[in-house]
Amino acid sequence: SPSSPVADLATSSGAFATSAVATISPKSGKKTWKKPEGKPKRPLSAYNIFFKEERARLVAEINGGGGGG
């Protein structure tokens, strides 16, 4: 019987499987997700990179100005 290529990928390679583990919290009964310990962090987005530089500039401007109150 013919099957779709997407179904073949999902079953054969496990491409759609997540590496996170879902557990149910005993207090609230909600599912919580735990990341695997060795998993690397996601890279910063372009906005995060821009704002990190912009924030440093603003902090230097505010602290360097010295003219408060």
Side-chain angles (χ1 to χ4, degrees):
S1 70
S3 62
S4 71
V6 174
D8 290 339
L9 278 176
T11 56
S12 64
S13 68
F16 295 107
T18 60
S19 60
V21 178
T23 58
I24 298 175
S25 173
K27 292 183 183 178
S28 64
K30 294 182 182 179
K31 285 186 181 179
T32 57
W33 293 96
K34 288 191 174 186
K35 293 181 185 178
E37 285 188 22
K39 186 175 179 182
K41 292 185 177 183
R42 298 175 90 178
L44 293 176
S45 68
Y47 176 76
N48 291 129
I49 293 169
F50 159 76
F51 196 74
K52 185 165 66 171
E53 295 168 0
E54 191 68 12
R55 182 180 184 278
R57 185 187 67 80
L58 290 171
V59 167
E61 183 180 308
I62 290 170
N63 290 340

